[in-house]
Amino acid sequence: MVRSSEFEALLDVSARVGADPALVQAAGGNTSIKEGGTLWIKASGLWLMQARQRDVMVPVALDALLDALERDDPSTEKAQDFVIKDRNPSGLRPSIETTVHALMPQKVVIHVHCVETIATAVQVNGETIAASRLAGIPHVFVPYARPGLPLAKAIAARIRPDTSVLILGNHGLAVAAETVAEAEILLAEVSQRLALPRRRAPDADLSALSRLAVGSQFTLPEENALHDVATDLASCRVAAGGSLYPDHVIFLGRGSFVAAPGDTAASIEEQYCAEGATVPPALLFPGKGVLVSKEITAGALAMARCLSDVLARIGEGARLRYLTDAENAELLGWDAEKYRQELNRAGKTLQ
C-alpha cells in the first residue's frame, strides 16, 4: 500500500504520543486520518506506541458509518461491520471509539487518555474548569457515556462545526485538525492548559511491603511511581471510592483494593479464594505502597501507573463523579471491551 506523507506523519506522531504515559496507557488512545472516503484508525487492543513497529491501522468506510450513525443504526455499535475487508488483511478490529473519530469532520483526530485531562474530567465541575482553562479554543465538554454508540450520540448532540477539542467526561481528550502537525500542536496546548500540580508522595516502605508479600503471588512493582497512590493518603482515599474512568475498569477491575489494617497479600488471596472471586491485580497498602500480582499484564501495570498519575493531580476536597455500579457492569459485559480484555490477558497487545 502506498501511503501519503500525512499518513506517514500520523504514524510518527502515534508512536511518540503512545510512548508517553502521561498521554496514553496500555492499549488506550487512538489516532485516525480520513483519506479518499476511508477512515484509517488504530486497531482495538493494540498499543499506539507500536505504530512504527507493526501494522496498527484499520480501514473503515467513512460515509457508510456516518450514514448509519445518522439513522441511529445499532450496527454502529460494532465498527468492524464497516471495515473495508480487502484492505484489512490482518483482520484487526477498529478502535471501539471509531465513531468519535468519524463524527469529528477534520482530517486528523488524536484521542488520548491524558492524565491532566482525566484529572479534570472526573470532577463534578469539570466542564466549568475546562471552560476556564480552554478559553479561546473551540471545545465541547461531553458528560460520561459508554464508548461506542452512547458516546457517539452524546457527541453528536453537542458538537459544533468549529469544534476542534472534545473533553470527554470520566474518559479523556480528543483533538482534531486538518493536518497532523496542527493536531499535535493542539494536543500539546490543551494538555498544557489543563495541567494541574502533582502532589509529592512519600516514599514507599519497601521493607514492609516485602513482608506483606510473603507467602503470596504478589510482589513489588519495578516502577516506584506505582506506589504513590497508596503512600499519598489523599490519593488512597480517592482510590477507595471506586472507578473513575473506563480503562481502569477494563485493566484493573472495579475500583481499587485498599487493604485494611492487619491484611497481608496472602490473607487477601485466601479471602478471595474462599469467595470464589478473582484476586485484584494490584493491592494498595495505605502509607506503605502497592503490591502487584506476579501474573499482572503489561496493560494492568500501565493502568496502575496511570492511577497514581491521575489521583496525584486531583486536589483534596475536589468533588468527584465516580462510575456507577451499572456503568462498571456495562463496561465489563460489553462485547467490544471483552475483546480488549482477551487481547490483554493473552499478551497479544505486546506482540
Side-chain angles (χ1 to χ4, degrees), residues 45-64:
L46 298 190
W47 291 44
L48 199 58
M49 66 187 296
Q50 296 177 327
R52 277 301 186 186
Q53 300 169 21
R54 59 173 297 175
D55 184 11
V56 302
M57 304 300 280
V58 179
V60 173
L62 180 59
D63 288 344

Side-chain angles (χ1 to χ4, degrees), residues 297 342-351:
T297 64
E342 289 169 4
L343 290 184
N344 180 54
R345 285 191 294 268
K348 293 181 181 179
T349 52
L350 298 180
Q351 296 176 1

